[in-house]
Amino acid sequence: MSAATRARAPSGVTWDGINWAKVQRHVRGLQTRIVKASQAGRHSKVKALQWLLTHSFSGKALAVKRVTENKGKNTAGVDKVTWKTPVAKTNAIGSMKRRGYSALPLRRVFILKKNGKQRPLGIPCMIDRAQQALYLLALEPIAETTADPNSYGFRPERSTADAGEQCFNCLAKKNSAKWVLEADIKSCFDQISHNWMVANIPTDKAILKKWLEAGFIYQNELFPTDAGTPQGGIISPVAANMTLDGLEAMLGEKFPRAKSSGLKMNMVRYADDFIITGNSKEWLEQEVKPAVVEFLAERGLVLSPEKTKITHIREGFDFLGWNIRRYDGKLLMKPSKANVKAHLDKIREVIKANKMAKQANLIRLLNPILRGWANYHSHVVAKETFARVDTDVWSMLWRWAVRRHPNKGARWVKEKYFKTRGARNWVFAVTEKQEDGTQRELTLLQESDTPIQRHIKIRANANPYDPEWEHYFESRWATKMQNSSKGRAKFYRVWRRQDGMCSTCQEPITKGTPWDVRHIVTRAEGGSDAAGNLQMYHLNCRRNH
């Protein structure tokens, strides 16, 4: 039996009786105070607030909620324990104490990387995951306050699309930089210096040291961990980000006149992959790269020789699944060849693994893959690529269908599996009978139907834990929801509830009037994204207000 299940539950508390809005409100209040104290440089105040948060019932409850509701909730560590029942979750809250806490070793597993190599993952026990989630609640507000402006990986409200848009902003103009230093850190997560992290990451030093030195078990053998932060730990991405934060500021201090003198230095980072632009190959090679190497060496890190190179923008470079290249003076971002190949390989594997599956089941397996990949590339120059992928997918499905019926002719196969819908004659679709007797048609998604829409990059200094940015993030969320079918359905329900009227001026909201949405109880105060907690209003009403 684990410590969590042996521990006595907090007096009078049941998992189903927790007021989560109140819990969220209390945690966000402390996180807001941490941000304000961090911005003011009051480090002792920050530490006191972190202590309050990590010892609060609300913080512990949210931490347990996170680790029991995420994708890894059913994956056990070396103790083979998971928390599935309300009683186990309640007891887990009571077991989260600093005094007497000792981290258990990680369970080591390996996953296959794109280059054929294996990436090691460390799976902590549930109690260690919950402790990491708790201390992350107190650490992430500081990380967001001190982060590099153009760092986009493993950060809330930021994405690869923001990193790609920043690359475009840095390289798209006629007088933009012509050379790009593509940098990749060798085994970043595995090589970060423990001493540097303990000395510089603003969290409980004793607890952090226990996580870093817990070791891992592989094939029933215990191995020590002398460096690195385990991939798989909840707090690891933020710790790795904070290790690399300061690189952009260091370059700005070392080359203060880089932009004004025509060197056009810009940096874009996503996790441990980053690019630095410049107008001279020699300058990037002889001055910028050595400065980066020196910065990383302090943290126990080195650049990967095979992945780090300097490229002219006319040749182009791959970054986050896109190829960024200048064609006859015009910069274009397209899905990279390697990314397209990986996508088609994945589809091919699914089709081959389901040779005897029903057509409806195959469509259900393929549509999320097609939709997710198309949405990822929907803000770059991808229409031709989408059409080419659709053609290749059709060829795979035709071979799949013909193989199932070797004694039938092509016309029979076409009529069975491919339908006519509007102007299209080769739509992979099937009509499926439901349990209630109704019929439902399942159609394979066409990537070329995905609209191309320019992504609006997040503002560099936007902080989701700072209340001053609440309206900004609310508007970004509303825009994102308007571009999704589920979001539009939700807003329609809000519009109907308000009888089509603006909640501020009580005038009609029509298709021709710009509108926005806000939360009645803000998310910072524990409000949800449910339709009942939303209000629609004219955009000008907020501006006037």
Side-chain angles (χ1 to χ4, degrees):
M1 186 179 293
S2 71
T5 53
R6 286 198 309 267
R8 183 176 298 175
S11 177
V13 174
T14 62
W15 183 258
D16 295 329
I18 295 175
N19 184 338
W20 291 109
K22 184 178 179 180
V23 164
Q24 179 72 29
R25 202 157 45 240
H26 182 237
V27 170
R28 287 304 294 259
L30 288 172
Q31 289 175 325
T32 298
R33 293 172 64 188
I34 289 172
V35 168
K36 296 299 182 184
S38 181
Q39 290 171 341
R42 301 177 62 189
H43 303 298
S44 58
K45 181 71 171 178
V46 168
K47 291 179 69 175
L49 291 169
Q50 284 184 304
W51 190 93
L52 281 176
L53 179 48
T54 54
H55 287 73
S56 67
F57 169 81
S58 296
K60 294 175 182 179
L62 269 189
V64 173
K65 188 174 190 291
R66 173 173 178 172
V67 301
T68 55
E69 294 182 359
N70 60 15
K71 290 182 179 180
K73 62 184 178 181
N74 296 322
T75 305
V78 293
D79 61 355
K80 300 180 181 179
V81 171
T82 56
W83 300 332
K84 295 183 179 180
T85 65
V87 173
K89 296 173 186 178
T90 307
N91 289 341
I93 299 173
S95 72
M96 294 175 64
K97 298 178 180 178
R98 184 181 185 277
R99 181 176 295 178
Y101 169 70
S102 180
L104 292 173
L106 307 169
R107 180 164 69 89
R108 173 59 59 90
V109 296
F110 291 90
I111 59 172
L112 195 64
K113 296 170 66 175
K114 292 180 180 178
N115 58 9
K117 297 180 181 179
Q118 289 185 322
R119 173 182 285 120
L121 287 184
I123 301 177
C125 299
M126 292 295 290
I127 184 63
D128 294 330
R129 273 181 254 172
Q131 289 280 19
Q132 289 189 25
L134 173 62
Y135 281 85
L136 180 60
L137 289 172
L139 178 62
E140 198 165 48
I142 305 173
E144 285 300 299
T145 304
T146 60
D148 285 345
N150 291 301
S151 164
Y152 300 97
F154 303 127
R155 294 182 61 190
E157 307 294 343
R158 283 165 169 78
S159 65
T160 54
D162 293 306
E165 192 64 24
Q166 180 61 17
C167 289
F168 188 86
N169 293 341
C170 296
L171 297 165
K173 297 178 182 178
K174 288 184 178 180
N175 59 347
S176 294
K178 301 296 189 294
W179 294 91
V180 176
L181 169 63
E182 305 172 62
D184 184 270
I185 301 171
K186 186 177 181 180
S187 302
C188 178
F189 278 82
D190 298 330
Q191 300 299 327
I192 302 175
S193 166
H194 283 180
N195 291 335
W196 191 94
M197 282 195 286
V198 171
N200 293 278
I201 292 182
T203 190
D204 191 305
K205 310 297 183 185
I207 298 292
L208 178 61
K209 197 171 183 181
K210 289 179 181 180
W211 292 332
L212 296 176
E213 297 177 353
F216 64 90
I217 292 178
Y218 181 62
Q219 295 181 345
N220 295 322
E221 186 177 353
L222 178 63
F223 295 87
T225 46
D226 301 320
T229 178
Q231 295 187 63
I234 289 177
I235 206 168
S236 294
V238 174
N241 252 344
M242 296 191 79
T243 302
L244 297 176
D245 281 336
L247 177 56
E248 191 172 352
M250 181 276 294
L251 291 172
E253 293 174 4
K254 196 170 185 67
F255 308 103
R257 292 182 294 175
K259 293 183 180 180
S260 61
S261 60
L263 293 172
K264 301 171 184 176
M265 181 183 68
N266 291 282
M267 177 181 165
V268 183
R269 178 167 68 85
Y270 189 91
D272 59 339
D273 294 330
F274 60 92
I275 66 162
I276 301 173
T277 67
N279 223 26
S280 165
K281 181 178 181 179
E282 293 73 21
W283 179 68
L284 288 173
E285 181 70 46
Q286 298 172 11
E287 297 192 45
V288 174
K289 188 177 177 181
V292 172
V293 169
E294 182 182 351
F295 176 89
L296 296 177
E298 296 177 8
R299 293 151 173 80
L301 302 171
V302 295
L303 291 175
S304 171
E306 62 270 14
K307 294 183 180 180
T308 301
K309 53 189 175 180
I310 299 175
T311 310
H312 196 280
I313 194 61
R314 285 197 304 268
E315 299 174 13
F317 64 96
D318 290 351
F319 188 58
L320 302 177
W322 301 302
N323 179 260
I324 304 173
R325 180 180 172 187
R326 188 181 291 276
Y327 297 83
D328 297 326
K330 186 174 184 179
L331 187 79
L332 297 181
M333 290 178 60
K334 301 180 180 181
S336 67
K337 291 181 180 179
N339 194 265
V340 173
K341 182 180 181 301
H343 178 51
L344 290 174
D345 287 345
K346 184 176 182 179
I347 294 171
R348 191 174 292 109
E349 288 176 6
V350 171
I351 294 174
K352 283 185 177 180
N354 291 273
K355 292 178 181 178
M356 303 306 296
K358 291 182 179 180
Q359 185 181 7
N361 292 338
L362 183 60
I363 291 174
R364 288 192 181 97
L365 290 172
L366 291 177
N367 271 350
I369 299 172
L370 296 168
R371 183 181 295 108
W373 192 83
N375 287 340
Y376 183 87
H377 295 288
S378 62
H379 63 280
V380 302
V381 182
K383 271 295 183 183
E384 290 184 7
T385 305
F386 288 166
R388 190 165 64 250
V389 168
D390 286 341
T391 301
D392 290 343
V393 171
W394 178 88
S395 298
M396 297 177 201
L397 293 172
W398 177 254
R399 289 194 294 271
W400 174 86
V402 169
R403 189 185 297 113
R404 291 162 68 92
H405 306 281
N407 298 324
K408 298 291 185 180
R411 183 183 296 276
W412 186 94
V413 173
K414 177 187 182 299
E415 290 177 355
K416 180 172 178 61
Y417 294 103
F418 298 89
K419 313 299 181 184
T420 298
R421 296 293 180 266
R424 291 179 176 170
N425 296 322
W426 290 87
V427 178
F428 193 70
V430 63
T431 301
E432 188 181 47
K433 191 173 182 179
Q434 305 293 302
E435 293 181 358
D436 58 0
T438 60
Q439 291 187 333
R440 176 191 177 192
E441 183 173 81
L442 291 172
T443 304
L444 187 75
L445 182 140
Q446 296 268 333
E447 288 188 352
S448 54
D449 290 340
T450 304
I452 302 297
Q453 190 169 12
R454 183 79 176 267
H455 177 76
I456 300 175
K457 189 184 82 69
I458 191 171
R459 293 181 188 173
N461 57 341
N463 187 340
Y465 293 99
D466 189 339
E468 293 182 6
W469 291 95
E470 178 71 30
H471 292 318
Y472 172 75
F473 283 109
E474 207 169 49
S475 296
R476 281 183 68 85
W477 176 84
T479 301
K480 181 180 178 181
M481 292 292 288
Q482 289 176 42
N483 293 330
S484 70
S485 56
K486 290 183 179 179
R488 287 192 293 271
K490 180 184 290 188
F491 291 156
Y492 178 70
R493 293 199 300 272
V494 177
W495 183 79
R496 286 287 301 271
R497 192 189 71 229
Q498 296 179 190
D499 295 326
M501 299 294 181
C502 170
S503 61
T504 302
C505 68
Q506 298 303 313
E507 293 294 325
I509 295 176
T510 65
K511 289 184 178 180
T513 56
W515 57 273
D516 208 339
V517 66
R518 64 174 162 237
H519 293 75
I520 299 172
V521 179
T522 65
R523 286 187 286 181
E525 296 177 346
S528 71
D529 293 334
N533 191 44
L534 300 177
Q535 286 182 333
M536 293 178 67
Y537 60 93
H538 292 127
L539 199 58
N540 284 335
C541 289
R542 169 173 281 183
R543 290 171 180 165
N544 294 337
H545 177 72

